[in-house]
Amino acid sequence: MVTVYDVANRAGVSIATVSRALNDRSRISAETRRRVIEIAHELGYEPNDVARSLVGKSTQTIALLLPDITNPYFPELVKGVQTITDQRGHLLLLCHNADDEEKALQDLVTLRRKQVDGVILVAGALSGERFAEAAAGLPVVVMDREIALPHTALVAVDHRDGARKATEYLLSLGHRRIAHVTGPPQLSVTAARRAGWEDALRAAGFPPDERLIVPGNFLEDGGWTAGRELLAREIDFSAVFTANDLTAIGLLAMFTEHGIPVPQQVSVVGFDGIHLAAYTSPTLTTVAQPIFALGQRAADLLLDQLEAAEAETAEPPSPTVHLLDTTLVVRDSTARPGSAEVAHD
Amino acid sequence: MVTVYDVANRAGVSIATVSRALNDRSRISAETRRRVIEIAHELGYEPNDVARSLVGKSTQTIALLLPDITNPYFPELVKGVQTITDQRGHLLLLCHNADDEEKALQDLVTLRRKQVDGVILVAGALSGERFAEAAAGLPVVVMDREIALPHTALVAVDHRDGARKATEYLLSLGHRRIAHVTGPPQLSVTAARRAGWEDALRAAGFPPDERLIVPGNFLEDGGWTAGRELLAREIDFSAVFTANDLTAIGLLAMFTEHGIPVPQQVSVVGFDGIHLAAYTSPTLTTVAQPIFALGQRAADLLLDQLEAAEAETAEPPSPTVHLLDTTLVVRDSTARPGSAEVAHD
DNA sequence: CTGAAAGCGCTTACAG
DNA sequence: CTGAAAGCGCTTACAG
């Protein structure tokens, strides 16, 4: 490995000069810089960033903690984050925690030891107190958590409002018996989306019926099972609002397999707006989150925060809440109840 | 920030002793260790891993370079990799390159400066020579590339063989006019999968018809467009083998929209075996790769290689090729040609 | 078992 | 504009 010493020796200058020539920092003669750079190149010199980090205090690395990259929502989010980190010269560490609080907490201490500059935390199931302790001293941007923690920016979508819009749309179509397949019980977004469904129902004068609520798990198999459960209960329903798109996809598969035509017999609305929702059969009506933009925003906020800290502005930027808008995307999985025509044959 | 000096002062020992107590390295008295550990805990001491890396030569970090996390194949792969890195105490950096060779090359130099211990490279479109130069001195495991580079392990699936199996299955069902939607032209797997399709056709005595080949892009929209193109050509075909599952999903959506029943009028087979393939309508017959296991294997190989290097065994482990098996998963998107019965209504 | 010293590869005041 | 020195926070021979 060739170091600044090698370059300095060969160039007949001090290592300080080499450092200056390479980093464009302080004043240095054009000629010296040129020679140093040339020699560095000749020697195949490559700076050692860990040494640089040790003195410079920054690793130019941030981490993204999320529950499960396998849900198509997250890759899109990761991509949003990554476009920004690439653009602003940072590297991205990825950590999975499968909604396991212990694992997330443990990752946080590992990351701090690694001296990451900051963390984006998709805080599905984390409890506030323990998290606040584990993240102490680490710049953090939280995603999808209802309540922002002290000194922590939050970026999210208004899940409750989105769920309300979905349900209102079904109501506007004439549906009265609207079932809901929930997400995993421990997640805050599960509660928010369910609350939005209830809001719309109540506002329309139809108090939510407990029997229309079926548990899901944000995965296809949960949607499948929920559909079976719904049929087994032998209750009346003409529409289903599922807590996310993957659940809707499982539900659609189950309905197809049981010969229940969507949307003729039952309408289905999802949540998230993953790319795949445009390619199901029928295509899926859903509450679309600006997933990519959420990722970008979170990364930008974190990096802004780091720059502000470095610039030592008077005060650290006050924690802010960034709520992006959802959009109801209407496709072919929804129709007026009891519509007789069959679409695809 | 509290350092070893603070702990040493408070404990009345040298920093060397603190280091020993905390790292369980050489001999140290049980009592001293206990006290040091206790004090470190009291003080809230957390080791600085970048300092440790600077002397220790290892960052306990590896990187995964891939084209596009948004294709569901990759999250599954990432998860496989991550289970191993978690288990073996490494952190994972993620880098996207959108099959852009320049970006990948640039990431490689950034990563080397960062002193990552090694790299897993999904080498879709990278050319051998430039890559070999950029990766010089960096332990690498390559995925999905046909030819292994010197001193580089390769883990992959036999794409050509998998494609052959898919096509042979369609032939065994009685199909004769089997179309193929390809992947992006620059990828080696695109060529391999197409070659497997041709192999099977030739072996069965049906020389591949150029008009049955339609370009795709590994995404849903490419499958959709390819389907339209296929219909526009007004040629005879009773089955389609698509280069990957996402393409098949797009094709399925297109067929559904145009009232073409699958598998009654045309059978469809995908490639990859992503989770979603079990939830399409109809469910998708596909050549399943052991995606999770591929990720695990790649990570294990890389980490084994690093350990071997550290243990300074006589020779570096010779580059090896690890081919995992594909499985043809038969679902509802395939049937004998011209089968009259309609499945779901 | 323990400490003093050197060193990992850099950057950054401090002088000149 | 340039160099000598200190220091970032640790680990690891080398002595004792």
Side-chain angles (χ1 to χ4, degrees):
Chain A
M1 164 174 255
V2 17
T3 71
V4 282
Y5 288 94
D6 302 314
V7 178
N9 280 342
R10 178 74 162 272
V13 298
S14 73
I15 59 169
T17 297
V18 172
S19 180
R20 288 191 196 100
L22 264 24
N23 295 306
D24 202 355
R25 291 261 181 271
S26 31
R27 54 277 117 162
I28 187 175
S29 82
E31 168 53 12
T32 309
R33 139 157 317 127
R34 201 199 50 66
R35 229 184 57 254
V36 169
I37 288 179
E38 182 181 316
I39 288 176
H41 189 75
E42 265 176 43
L43 261 35
Y45 170 75
E46 280 186 338
N48 180 327
D49 277 347
V50 353
R52 184 178 286 185
S53 292
L54 185 57
V55 31
K57 299 300 187 195
S58 162
T59 52
Q60 300 289 98
T61 304
I62 68 170
L64 174 61
L65 276 70
L66 43 76
D68 178 18
I69 186 88
T70 263
N71 180 328
Y73 174 87
F74 290 112
E76 184 76 19
L77 190 77
V78 169
K79 212 169 167 180
V81 169
Q82 186 113 234
T83 55
I84 301 302
T85 52
D86 273 354
Q87 180 180 308
R88 298 179 65 168
H90 282 251
L91 251 24
L92 214 221
L93 282 162
L94 188 69
C95 298
H96 267 108
N97 54 240
D99 279 319
D100 173 350
E101 181 160 311
E102 297 310 319
K103 172 65 161 68
L105 259 18
Q106 179 184 316
D107 281 345
L108 247 17
V109 347
T110 303
L111 291 167
R112 187 169 31 211
R113 292 179 173 200
K114 275 277 186 298
Q115 311 295 119
V116 298
D117 293 342
V119 166
I120 297 174
L121 183 65
V122 181
L126 292 189
S127 77
E129 320 74 51
R130 302 194 56 196
F131 157 73
E133 188 191 327
L138 207 51
V140 172
V141 169
V142 174
M143 303 194 75
D144 267 357
R145 170 173 274 283
E146 289 283 281
I147 298 143
L149 296 159
H151 297 292
T152 297
L154 166 71
V155 9
V157 115
D158 188 332
H159 298 277
R160 185 166 181 163
D161 178 66
R164 190 186 300 121
K165 285 194 290 200
T167 311
E168 280 168 356
Y169 174 65
L170 288 169
L171 286 164
S172 78
L173 247 25
H175 294 278
R176 294 299 173 256
R177 302 283 299 170
I178 303 171
H180 176 51
V181 182
T182 72
Q186 74 277 21
L187 303 192
S188 63
V189 299
T190 296
R193 292 178 194 174
R194 173 178 164 164
W197 168 78
E198 292 182 353
D199 290 348
L201 254 24
R202 284 227 173 72
F206 306 104
D209 180 346
E210 275 296 330
R211 290 171 307 164
L212 286 173
I213 300 176
V214 192
N217 60 0
F218 272 175
L219 302 177
E220 300 96 326
D221 68 341
W224 212 95
T225 308
R228 208 174 41 190
E229 168 69 15
L230 221 36
L231 297 184
R233 287 187 187 174
E234 299 192 332
I235 48 175
D236 210 35
F237 66 94
S238 67
V240 186
F241 165 56
T242 63
N244 78 348
D245 288 344
L246 242 30
T247 302
I249 287 172
L251 189 67
L252 247 28
M254 193 277 171
F255 283 162
T256 298
E257 182 154 334
H258 287 251
I260 297 172
V262 174
Q264 294 77 11
Q265 185 173 333
V266 22
S267 287
V268 175
V269 180
F271 201 111
D272 277 353
I274 61 176
H275 194 233
L276 247 352
Y279 292 94
T280 51
S281 304
T283 57
L284 185 66
T285 296
T286 187
V287 180
Q289 297 193 54
I291 311 177
F292 189 81
L294 284 164
Q296 292 188 113
R297 178 69 70 90
D300 267 328
L301 276 172
L302 183 59
L303 265 21
D304 286 349
Q305 194 173 321
L306 299 178
E307 278 176 15
E310 192 173 8
E312 282 177 33
T313 44
E315 283 298 289
S318 63
T320 45
V321 176
H322 299 252
L323 247 36
L324 305 203
D325 287 327
T326 55
T327 319
L328 180 71
V329 178
V330 176
R331 297 205 185 89
D332 298 337
S333 65
T334 42
R336 308 190 69 80
S339 57
E341 76 278 11
V342 170
H344 303 303
D345 48 344
Chain B
M1 164 173 254
V2 17
T3 72
V4 282
Y5 288 94
D6 301 314
V7 178
N9 281 340
R10 179 73 162 273
V13 297
S14 73
I15 59 168
T17 298
V18 172
S19 180
R20 288 191 195 101
L22 265 23
N23 295 306
D24 204 354
R25 291 261 180 273
S26 33
R27 53 279 116 160
I28 186 176
S29 83
E31 168 54 13
T32 309
R33 140 160 312 130
R34 203 197 48 67
R35 231 183 57 254
V36 170
I37 289 179
E38 184 183 314
I39 290 176
H41 188 76
E42 265 177 43
L43 261 35
Y45 170 75
E46 281 185 338
N48 179 327
D49 278 347
V50 353
R52 186 177 286 186
S53 292
L54 185 57
V55 30
K57 300 301 186 194
S58 161
T59 53
Q60 300 291 99
T61 303
I62 66 170
L64 174 60
L65 276 71
L66 43 77
D68 179 19
I69 186 85
T70 263
N71 181 327
Y73 174 87
F74 289 112
E76 185 75 19
L77 188 77
V78 169
K79 213 170 168 180
V81 168
Q82 186 113 233
T83 56
I84 300 302
T85 51
D86 274 353
Q87 180 181 308
R88 298 179 66 168
H90 282 250
L91 250 26
L92 214 221
L93 282 162
L94 189 70
C95 298
H96 267 109
N97 54 240
D99 279 320
D100 174 351
E101 180 161 311
E102 296 310 319
K103 173 66 162 66
L105 258 19
Q106 180 183 316
D107 281 345
L108 246 16
V109 347
T110 303
L111 292 168
R112 188 171 29 213
R113 291 178 173 202
K114 275 277 186 297
Q115 312 295 118
V116 298
D117 293 342
V119 166
I120 298 174
L121 182 68
V122 181
L126 293 191
S127 76
E129 321 74 51
R130 301 193 57 195
F131 156 73
E133 186 190 328
L138 206 51
V140 172
V141 168
V142 174
M143 303 195 75
D144 268 356
R145 168 172 276 282
E146 290 282 281
I147 296 142
L149 297 158
H151 298 291
T152 298
L154 166 71
V155 9
V157 114
D158 188 333
H159 298 279
R160 185 165 181 165
D161 178 66
R164 191 185 301 123
K165 285 194 290 199
T167 311
E168 280 168 356
Y169 173 67
L170 288 169
L171 286 163
S172 78
L173 246 26
H175 294 278
R176 295 298 174 256
R177 302 283 299 170
I178 303 170
H180 177 51
V181 182
T182 72
Q186 73 278 24
L187 303 191
S188 64
V189 299
T190 295
R193 292 178 193 173
R194 171 176 165 166
W197 168 78
E198 292 181 353
D199 289 348
L201 253 27
R202 286 229 172 71
F206 306 103
D209 180 345
E210 276 295 329
R211 290 169 308 163
L212 287 172
I213 300 176
V214 192
N217 61 359
F218 272 176
L219 301 178
E220 300 96 326
D221 67 342
W224 212 96
T225 309
R228 206 175 42 192
E229 167 70 15
L230 220 35
L231 296 183
R233 287 187 187 172
E234 298 191 333
I235 47 174
D236 209 35
F237 66 95
S238 66
V240 185
F241 165 56
T242 62
N244 78 348
D245 288 344
L246 243 31
T247 303
I249 288 173
L251 188 67
L252 247 26
M254 193 276 171
F255 283 160
T256 298
E257 182 154 333
H258 287 251
I260 297 172
V262 175
Q264 293 77 12
Q265 185 173 332
V266 23
S267 286
V268 175
V269 180
F271 200 111
D272 278 353
I274 61 176
H275 194 231
L276 246 354
Y279 291 93
T280 51
S281 302
T283 58
L284 185 66
T285 295
T286 188
V287 179
Q289 298 193 52
I291 310 178
F292 190 81
L294 284 165
Q296 291 189 114
R297 178 69 71 89
D300 267 327
L301 276 172
L302 183 59
L303 266 20
D304 287 349
Q305 193 174 321
L306 299 177
E307 279 177 13
E310 194 173 7
E312 283 178 31
T313 44
E315 284 299 290
S318 63
T320 44
V321 176
H322 298 253
L323 249 35
L324 305 203
D325 288 329
T326 56
T327 319
L328 180 70
V329 178
V330 175
R331 297 205 184 88
D332 299 337
S333 65
T334 43
R336 310 190 67 81
S339 57
E341 77 279 10
V342 171
H344 301 304
D345 48 346

